[in-house]
Amino acid sequence: TENLIKDLPAPNVEVFCLHGSGVDTTQALVYKKGEFPGSDPSKILKGNGDGTVNYRSLIGCTRWANQQTQPVTHHEFPGVDHLQILRNEETAAFIANLIHNINTQTRKQRAVRKKKILLKKMKYQHSSGRANQSEIIHFSFLNHV
């Protein structure tokens, strides 16, 4: 599969890569000559991963950090397996915190955009002589916030 994804381009969106680690995971299946296909492997090599996906694949998303301007957030949850990642209290709290931070940031960005639009409108109305006294006071207040 390495050749299938080696040229996979970065998605150019903010990425949150969260996964378990430190769980025995199949890394390779070793077959003796004549065993494949038709029989079980002679040896199963285990290594780090989340019990389903090996570690090397789990951290594949980190290469995008150098390929795009948007942030790539990577976080491991030691001892959490592939199926438990969404049921684990620590991961659920981590994801809830991410969502809260994104929502807070989005609200702040919207407020700044609204302020800029209002200021632009007020400057136009003031320069054209269309602003009334309360709008001028409001405009003055916004410029000092």
Side-chain angles (χ1 to χ4, degrees):
T1 59
E2 184 177 339
N3 289 334
L4 295 174
I5 63 170
K6 72 177 183 174
D7 295 325
L8 185 66
N12 292 315
V13 296
E14 188 170 8
V15 173
F16 297 91
C17 185
L18 314 173
H19 60 83
S21 64
V23 180
D24 268 354
T25 304
T26 300
Q27 302 292 311
L29 304 174
V30 179
Y31 292 90
K32 291 182 181 174
K33 187 172 181 156
E35 287 183 334
F36 183 80
S39 63
D40 291 338
S42 300
K43 193 180 215 179
I44 298 175
L45 302 177
K46 297 283 190 172
N48 187 13
D50 70 359
T52 300
V53 181
N54 68 40
Y55 188 76
R56 192 167 141 217
S57 295
L58 290 168
I59 63 168
C61 62
T62 60
R63 67 186 171 94
W64 292 331
N66 297 325
Q67 297 176 3
Q68 65 179 35
T69 57
Q70 298 85 353
V72 174
T73 301
H74 174 251
H75 191 85
E76 292 179 31
F77 297 93
V80 178
D81 74 29
H82 192 82
L83 297 176
Q84 291 298 316
I85 194 82
L86 295 177
R87 295 182 190 120
N88 179 280
E89 286 184 35
E90 181 187 359
T91 58
F94 188 91
I95 292 167
N97 189 51
L98 278 177
I99 293 168
H100 172 76
N101 291 341
I102 291 167
N103 286 339
T104 299
Q105 182 181 11
T106 301
R107 279 193 290 275
K108 286 178 182 177
Q109 290 170 343
R110 284 183 184 152
V112 167
R113 281 195 302 270
K114 282 182 179 180
K115 179 180 173 183
K116 286 180 181 179
I117 290 168
L118 184 57
L119 286 172
K120 190 174 182 180
K121 179 182 174 186
M122 294 301 297
K123 284 180 183 178
Y124 170 77
Q125 288 178 344
H126 183 69
S127 66
S128 66
R130 295 181 184 177
N132 63 37
Q133 190 63 35
S134 67
E135 289 173 325
I136 292 171
I137 292 168
H138 186 75
F139 172 73
S140 178
F141 171 76
L142 286 173
N143 272 332
H144 292 95
V145 173

